[in-house]
């Protein structure tokens, strides 16, 4: 290489290095600027969050007792609905895979109590409780379980695919972690439109072993999406214990590594769940970016109706049953609100009557006509070229 070419090449290298150094400096200045902006935003959001919590918190005294009674009734509805599903499944009226949330009722009821009707909800295949807590009528959910056209998915989805766009309830996803990218898309759409909405995505501890969780968590934090990630940690991914699947079993700590606020919650205490969900939703709504809740809960039944449940000791199940979420709230209401057996009996009768009507009307409803089976699957033929 001639001296002239060597000098030109050296100058080119120095020029490229200079461009890279300048780019690094620009990124560092931008990062420092974002850090300052984030610190200011955190301070502003803290003030806004406290205001949201103060406005949303139930009043003391009679208001508190009525609020707790409502929470207890809603958990009772979920529990008794699931028990009816067991009866109907055993009788052959409900078919396919059925995943029950008995023992986990505090999670859907507590979280959804903190959301508004404009917020979006994305769920898993264990979503009966989420659907009922969202306000989808028991009759509509039961009809879907029986495959009737009056079901919330017209009988096409069954147990794992409950859906109600009018209530912004977007599934029911049978694929583990399948709802997470959908939730990120809903949250991104709301942010791009400037809507002050929150998207809440439920998923299990097993989903955190899937790439979809990590992709969603990374993009949500990177883009500051208005997303509440509600992890239902019931200690088992189907039959695999948490410690045999995750090297780090503190799931909130793992989520925090993506730069989002994250903390564990007693998922057997509906009041603790509601408080945490209000805190998270309020911060997200105020522009605080995604928040992660590790809701530590437990399912009393097997993974599904097909599962022989041979991977855990009976004594473990009994220990968790001592913290039954219905009992936890009921005992507190007895101690603090003067709630007694008469009040509980009244709730039980009310819920039983509602479920009796739901089953009766679902049985009376028809199945979708055969000629409509391709409806919503293919569009009408195109006319012309």
């Amino acid at each position: 290489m001639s001296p002239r070419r060597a000098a030109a090449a050296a100058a080119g290298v120095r020029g490229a290095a200079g461009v890279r150094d300048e780019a690094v400096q620009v990124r560092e200045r931008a990062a420092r600027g974002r850090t300052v902006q984030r610190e200011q935003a955190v301070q502003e959001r803290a003030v806004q969050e406290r205001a949201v919590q103060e406005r949303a918190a139930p009043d003391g005294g009679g208001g508190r007792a009525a609020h707790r009674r409502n929470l207890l009734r809603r958990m009772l509805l979920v529990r008794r609905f699931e028990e009816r599903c067991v009866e109907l499944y055993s009788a052959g009226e409900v078919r396919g895979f059925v995943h029950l949330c008995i023992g986990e009722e505090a999670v859907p009821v507590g979280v959804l109590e903190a959301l508004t009707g404009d917020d979006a909800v994305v769920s898993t295949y264990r979503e009966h409780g989420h659907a009922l807590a969202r306000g989808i009528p028991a009759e509509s959910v039961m009809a879907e379980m029986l495959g009737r056209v009056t079901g919330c998915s017209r009988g096409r989805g069954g147990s794992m695919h409950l859906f109600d766009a009018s209530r912004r309830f977007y599934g029911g996803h049978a694929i583990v972690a399948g709802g997470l990218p959908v939730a990120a898309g809903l949250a991104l759409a709301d942010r791009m439109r400037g809507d002050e909405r929150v998207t809440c995505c439920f998923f299990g501890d097993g989903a955190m072993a899937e790439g979809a969780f990590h992709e969603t968590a990374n993009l949500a934090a990177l883009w500051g999406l208005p997303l509440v990630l509600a992890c239902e940690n019931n200690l088992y991914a189907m039959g695999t214990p948490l410690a045999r699947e995750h090297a780090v079993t503190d799931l909130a700590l793992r989520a925090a590594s993506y730069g989002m606020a994250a903390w564990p919650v007693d998922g057997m205490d509906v009041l603790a769940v509601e408080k945490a969900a209000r805190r998270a939703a309020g911060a997200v709504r105020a522009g605080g970016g995604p928040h992660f809740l590790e809701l530590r809960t437990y399912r009393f039944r097997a993974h599904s109706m097909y599962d022989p449940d041979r991977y855990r000791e009976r004594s473990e199940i009994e220990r968790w049953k001592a913290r039954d979420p219905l009992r936890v709230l009921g005992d507190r209401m007895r101690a603090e609100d003067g709630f007694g057996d008469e009040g509980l009996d009244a709730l039980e009768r009310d819920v039983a009557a509602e479920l009796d009507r739901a089953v009766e009307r679902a049985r009376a409803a028809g199945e979708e006509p055969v000629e409509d089976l391709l409806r919503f699957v293919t569009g009408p033929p195109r006319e012309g070229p």
Side-chain angles (χ1 to χ4, degrees), residues 3-165:
R4 179 178 297 176
R5 289 184 176 179
V13 170
R14 289 194 299 272
V19 170
R20 285 195 298 271
D21 291 342
E22 183 177 355
V24 169
Q25 292 173 4
V26 169
R27 286 197 297 270
E28 288 177 346
R29 286 196 298 271
R32 287 194 295 271
R34 286 195 297 271
T35 300
V36 172
Q37 291 174 349
R38 284 175 183 149
E39 290 174 351
Q40 294 173 343
V42 166
Q43 295 175 358
E44 293 173 0
R45 288 196 300 270
V47 174
Q48 294 170 342
E49 183 182 338
R50 285 194 295 272
V52 168
Q53 291 178 353
E54 290 171 0
R55 289 195 302 269
D59 296 332
R64 181 189 68 186
H67 179 69
R68 291 177 176 179
R69 186 179 184 278
N70 176 57
L71 294 176
L72 182 59
R73 188 200 182 280
R74 292 168 66 194
M75 287 198 295
L76 270 174
L77 176 64
V78 175
R79 174 71 60 87
R80 303 304 177 228
F81 182 94
E82 297 290 63
E83 291 170 350
R84 292 290 182 98
C85 288
V86 173
E87 296 174 7
L88 294 169
Y89 183 91
S90 301
E93 294 188 66
V94 172
R95 301 178 183 181
F97 288 100
V98 176
H99 305 81
L100 306 172
C101 68
I102 292 176
E104 302 182 2
E105 295 88 351
V107 171
V109 171
V111 170
L112 294 179
E113 181 67 19
L115 301 183
T116 72
D118 288 334
D119 296 331
V121 179
V122 180
S123 186
T124 68
Y125 48 75
R126 197 183 306 278
E127 86 278 37
H128 307 164
H130 302 139
L132 293 169
R134 184 56 174 173
I136 301 177
E139 177 182 343
S140 179
V141 181
M142 187 61 74
E144 189 61 36
M145 297 294 296
L146 270 61
R148 300 300 199 267
V149 72
T150 55
C152 57
S153 300
R154 295 183 60 84
R156 292 170 174 243
S159 173
M160 295 191 289
H161 298 283
L162 305 179
F163 187 95
D164 189 336

Side-chain angles (χ1 to χ4, degrees), residues 323-341:
R323 298 212 66 244
D324 186 320
L326 277 69
R327 180 186 301 176
V328 170
L329 179 59
D331 288 348
R332 191 164 182 177
M333 292 170 66
R334 292 175 189 274
E336 300 177 3
D337 304 325
F339 185 76
D341 292 340

Side-chain angles (χ1 to χ4, degrees), residues 170-227:
Y170 300 111
H173 292 264
I175 304 301
V176 174
L180 283 156
V182 175
L186 290 167
L188 176 61
D190 284 338
R191 199 192 68 174
M192 293 177 70
R193 286 192 299 258
D195 295 334
E196 292 185 3
R197 292 171 167 176
V198 171
T199 295
C200 177
C201 184
F202 291 97
F203 54 96
D205 48 284
M208 290 192 67
E210 299 290 333
F213 167 78
H214 298 280
E215 293 165 354
T216 298
N218 181 62
L219 288 179
L222 185 65
W223 295 339
L225 298 183
L227 183 62

